[in-house]
Amino acid sequence: MNAFDLTGKVCIVTGGAQGIGYAISQELIQHGATVYIVDQNQEVGQEAAGRLGARFKGLNVTDSTQVSAVFQQITVEAGQVDVLVNNAGIVRNTPAEETTDSEWDLIMKVNLDGVFSCCRAIAPHMLERGSGSIINLASMSGIISNHPQPQAAYNTSKAGVIMLTRSLAGEWASRGVRVNAIAPGYVATPLTKKGMETEEWRKVWLETIPMGRLAEPEEIGPSVVYLASRASSYVTGSVLTVDGGYTIW
């Protein structure tokens, strides 16, 4: 058997309508999975699901009540959920001394609280079945502090995702549920491309990445397939860094 085959598996991808989430959804489908894209952008999400042959549910991950309701709906509709990919996230490049309470709270609510809410919502189903794989999209920013752009709130939120991943992995490993994280480096999404327009940022970013380039969104998907599949059956609590070598220096 192909250890990477996901035929018969049901996957949820938060923030799956565009960027890295879209590429992840596409890769999972190509490996045989049934994918539910959940995203707060209804129009873009439905269009993405239509192109990929995925299913779509509208969801704001900052609303824990809504998360529980939508995940329950998917579980009943699909009969099972085998994989959860927590991809939804936001970033703000604001100097720490200028960061307002509301901006800090929003970043934490989406990037960290949202991940916890989704993990908590799917856990009873996976634990009852005694199987499941949860994959959290952290970032190399949870391991190092990026420069020259200021983003203390984002970095802190992603460091929190890494510790949450390890904590949940420890709690649920003996009950059949694996929890891992992926820490991408700079990926050529519209937001990162906009950052590349700032000459100082572009120069420092490219000089600091040993491979000398940004990742393409499609280069993140295979790592998710690995962690979602039987190929990683003995892997939990790990952080898979996909950063072109950025964090080795």
Side-chain angles (χ1 to χ4, degrees):
M1 292 180 61
N2 179 356
F4 297 91
D5 183 30
L6 295 174
T7 301
K9 303 295 185 182
V10 177
C11 307
I12 297 174
V13 181
T14 71
Q18 52 194 331
I20 295 173
Y22 182 89
I24 289 170
S25 299
Q26 185 175 46
E27 194 74 24
L28 291 169
I29 289 170
Q30 289 175 349
H31 282 77
T34 296
V35 171
Y36 279 84
I37 289 175
V38 296
D39 201 289
Q40 67 175 351
N41 192 321
Q42 296 273 346
E43 183 178 353
V44 174
Q46 289 172 348
E47 290 177 356
R51 286 194 302 273
L52 293 175
R55 303 175 187 181
F56 175 75
K57 299 289 183 183
L59 174 65
N60 183 343
V61 297
T62 67
D63 185 336
S64 62
T65 301
Q66 187 182 135
V67 168
S68 296
V70 170
F71 279 27
Q72 175 65 20
Q73 184 181 29
I74 293 173
T75 300
V76 171
E77 184 178 301
Q80 66 191 62
V81 174
D82 302 281
V83 179
L84 167 63
V85 182
N86 285 308
N87 167 75
I90 60 172
V91 64
R92 297 288 187 273
N93 297 118
T94 305
E97 72 276 14
E98 297 174 14
T99 300
T100 62
D101 288 349
S102 60
E103 183 173 271
W104 178 276
D105 290 345
L106 177 61
I107 291 171
M108 295 302 163
K109 199 162 184 59
V110 175
N111 292 0
L112 183 54
D113 297 356
V115 171
F116 176 70
S117 294
C118 290
C119 290
R120 181 179 58 186
I122 206 63
H125 171 71
M126 288 185 171
L127 292 169
E128 182 179 1
R129 296 181 69 222
S131 68
S133 175
I134 296 174
I135 303 156
N136 298 324
L137 267 291
S139 170
M140 68 176 186
S141 304
I143 302 170
I144 51 84
S145 177
N146 305 65
H147 69 103
Q149 76 276 23
Q151 51 183 53
Y154 178 81
N155 296 351
T156 302
S157 72
K158 291 302 185 177
V161 169
I162 289 173
M163 183 50 68
L164 175 63
T165 297
R166 290 172 172 154
S167 299
L168 296 181
E171 288 192 32
W172 297 339
S174 65
R175 301 163 70 185
V177 176
R178 299 185 297 110
V179 188
N180 292 288
I182 294 175
Y186 293 115
V187 182
T189 60
L191 190 62
T192 303
K193 289 178 180 178
K194 183 174 179 59
M196 290 282 283
E197 295 174 3
T198 302
E199 176 62 24
E200 181 189 8
W201 293 14
R202 184 185 68 78
K203 183 176 185 296
V204 172
W205 290 358
L206 294 180
E207 288 179 350
T208 312
I209 301 169
M211 292 183 71
R213 66 175 178 85
L214 306 182
E216 294 299 325
E218 293 75 18
E219 293 182 286
I220 308 302
S223 296
V224 175
V225 169
Y226 165 67
L227 292 174
S229 70
R230 188 170 56 84
S232 61
S233 59
Y234 198 56
V235 179
T236 197
S238 291
V239 180
L240 177 54
T241 307
V242 188
D243 65 353
Y246 188 102
T247 56
I248 64 176
W249 288 340

